[in-house]
Amino acid sequence: MREVTSPKRFDEVAGSQPSPTATSAARVESGDNSATPFPEKYKSVEICPDGPSLVEHPFPHLLDDNTVVVKPILVGICRSDLKELMRARTVRHDFGHEILGEVGWAGRALGLERGDTVCFDPHVGVERTSGFGEYFIARGDSEALGRAFVKIPSETSAEKSVFCEPMACAHHCVANLMRYLKCESLANLRVAVIGAGNAGALLSLLAKHLGASVTLFNRNAARLEFLKRKGIFSTHELCLIDRRRPPGFDAVIAATTFLYPSVLSFAMQCLNKEAILMLYGGTREGDLLAGAVINIDQTRRREALVSATWLGKQFRVGGTYGALSIDFARVAHLLKTYASDFPVELLISHQILLAELPEVLRFLTKPETQQYGKIVVRGF
Ligand SMILES: NC(=O)c1ccc[n+]([C@@H]2O[C@H](COP(=O)([O-])OP(=O)(O)OC[C@H]3O[C@@H](n4cnc5c(N)ncnc54)[C@H](OP(=O)(O)O)[C@@H]3O)[C@@H](O)[C@H]2O)c1
């Protein structure tokens, strides 16, 4: 993988020219689309029987009021994309969903116009193609399309805005934590986040912004070293998971790839009496919290809050799953207004081209691969 330069915006590409695969403009059913040079064909990366591959598709011949076309600017690779490739994701299928792009055709999507910079909210029910493509095409009614594309303020850089979707999920978790605690900030609370991946880093930045004193734990020292080198967290905020951790935290957010028994056992050691354990990382049907007989998969997906006891310690377990439109709106505001509290762009480790993506995905799904930070696909 090689580092590449900053992405260009759609309007910086001379005259918004069609991609090299184009032969002529797509037809439209209504609206002012005459100046939009859509191609006859476009490429996207799809999950094929022999792994991720670049596939060519015909561009839809008719663009109508129920269609939105977005030209991706930056698209993040998420852990869940890798889980989907490895067939380890059973409930949702969201391959290529961390999308920042520019609207090329808005149809009648409520509040959306051609030229808007938008982030995609995958929790809204619309039909869609993969964001890992030269174009991203979504279909739905005008209200759903309006909600599925969140407008991004022009002041916020693309490198920050591409984190809008993963940060909205992290925001939803922190908002749920405050709801469970019945408080409006995390001031004077000690919060532990377990798993210093991209989710853990975003959760920690949000908790800090809300006043918490945060410790970010990880199993592997190299990942903590990456965050230290980037200057996102100070040394005293980063800590290795060790099995003798004394309690002392008012809330613990478990944010590892899956919520393994070893992670949950460490999390429960960290908890103060009456504290809250937030379930953020992946869970599978039937997963239980060892010793406390709680179905963590159901608790997480239903966003339930349940009481638990472990080795005589009483605490609560709270679920969090996905994000709401309000989380996207708040994150867009936070990235613009408190840019220095959220140096999320420093998490980007590589920018790659779409043509490089299948090989990069194959590399990332190898069990021995160690990759830190966020890899983003540059649209143009
Ligand atoms: N609740 C929600 O709404 C929501 C939304 C989005 C994502 N998620 C979940 O968040 C998870 C993490 O996402 P991410 O983007 O942070 O992934 P990531 O960047 O790949 O990070 C994965 C983290 O998990 C840790 N980990 C993996 N296996 C472990 C083990 N056996 N023991 C201890 N730590 C282990 C890794 O530590 P090492 O450095 O030691 O490998 C790393 O810190 C995803 O898998 C997804 O399920 C939840």
Side-chain angles (χ1 to χ4, degrees):
M1 272 182 289
R2 65 189 171 82
E3 302 255 0
V4 292
T5 52
S6 313
K8 286 185 175 149
R9 289 174 50 83
F10 195 22
D11 54 11
E12 288 171 347
V13 180
S16 295
Q17 289 302 309
S19 78
T21 55
T23 51
S24 68
R27 288 193 295 276
V28 296
E29 208 161 55
S30 62
D32 170 23
N33 198 37
S34 50
T36 306
F38 291 121
E40 288 222 324
K41 291 179 177 166
Y42 74 104
K43 288 180 186 156
S44 67
V45 172
E46 307 289 338
I47 303 177
C48 298
D50 57 345
S53 311
L54 201 56
V55 177
E56 193 168 73
H57 313 269
F59 200 90
H61 264 264
L62 291 174
L63 293 179
D64 60 18
D65 290 346
N66 297 325
T67 305
V68 168
V69 179
V70 166
K71 182 80 180 151
I73 297 170
L74 291 178
V75 182
I77 301 178
C78 175
R79 170 58 55 188
S80 63
D81 295 320
L82 306 181
K83 285 183 178 173
E84 250 172 78
L85 277 168
M86 294 187 285
R87 317 269 176 216
R89 200 164 189 237
T90 48
V91 179
R92 285 182 67 101
H93 297 283
D94 276 329
F95 189 63
H97 63 275
E98 292 185 3
I99 305 158
L100 175 77
E102 183 170 319
V103 176
W105 171 255
R108 294 237 167 145
L110 212 61
L112 213 62
E113 284 177 21
R114 187 174 165 227
D116 284 343
T117 301
V118 291
C119 148
F120 178 61
D121 176 351
H123 307 96
V124 179
V126 294
E127 269 177 53
R128 66 172 189 92
T129 60
S130 166
F132 295 134
E134 292 172 326
Y135 288 90
F136 174 64
I137 303 165
R139 285 186 56 76
D141 64 46
S142 75
E143 189 273 335
L145 286 172
R147 276 192 299 123
F149 293 95
V150 181
K151 282 201 215 180
I152 297 296
S154 56
E155 296 91 328
T156 313
S157 71
E159 285 79 3
K160 263 196 197 301
S161 305
V162 71
F163 286 90
C164 202
E165 194 280 333
M167 199 166 149
C169 294
H171 183 275
H172 189 63
C173 171
V174 174
N176 276 334
L177 172 62
M178 291 196 295
R179 182 165 62 86
Y180 297 150
L181 288 168
K182 295 190 172 58
C183 60
E184 288 182 356
S185 90
L186 297 177
N188 304 318
L189 294 182
R190 289 194 67 206
V191 173
V193 177
I194 304 176
N198 294 310
L202 297 173
L203 287 160
S204 301
L205 290 174
L206 283 160
K208 265 174 74 172
H209 175 76
L210 288 161
S213 151
V214 174
T215 308
L216 179 51
F217 289 96
N218 204 62
R219 167 188 65 167
N220 169 354
R223 197 181 288 276
L224 296 176
E225 203 40 57
F226 168 81
L227 292 175
K228 207 188 299 175
R229 226 178 25 252
K230 293 281 183 171
I232 303 172
F233 296 99
S234 58
T235 310
H236 79 272
E237 292 171 317
L238 301 171
C239 201
L240 265 181
I241 291 178
D242 73 63
R243 304 205 181 277
R244 301 170 311 281
R245 177 69 33 193
F249 292 94
D250 305 298
V252 176
I253 306 175
T256 45
T257 309
F258 283 103
L259 297 182
Y260 308 98
S262 59
V263 168
L264 291 171
S265 147
F266 178 74
M268 291 189 287
Q269 284 178 55
C270 291
L271 288 169
N272 275 339
K273 228 172 129 190
E274 309 298 340
I276 292 192
L277 167 60
M278 293 296 290
L279 305 174
Y280 189 85
T283 50
R284 287 170 277 215
E285 201 183 336
D287 279 357
L288 294 176
L289 185 61
V293 201
I294 286 173
N295 183 321
I296 54 171
D297 187 52
Q298 295 287 314
T299 306
R300 183 172 83 98
R301 291 185 203 280
R302 292 182 184 167
E303 301 200 332
L305 180 65
V306 295
S307 297
T309 307
W310 180 74
L311 299 181
K313 191 193 305 189
Q314 291 191 332
F315 57 98
R316 289 179 294 165
V317 180
T320 185
Y321 191 54
L324 302 172
S325 299
I326 184 79
D327 297 299
F328 280 82
R330 295 231 166 106
V331 163
H333 170 75
L334 288 173
L335 289 175
K336 176 183 151 199
T337 315
Y338 301 97
S340 61
D341 280 6
F342 298 102
V344 292
E345 64 280 13
L346 299 177
L347 288 170
I348 297 178
S349 58
H350 295 85
Q351 291 193 27
I352 62 166
L353 300 172
L354 186 66
E356 297 172 303
L357 182 60
E359 193 192 329
V360 169
L361 290 172
R362 283 172 207 272
F363 168 74
L364 292 174
T365 47
K366 285 185 186 160
E368 68 275 17
T369 298
Q370 305 274 324
Q371 152 65 29
Y372 309 124
K374 173 73 74 186
I375 300 178
V376 295
V377 182
R378 205 180 81 179
F380 52 86

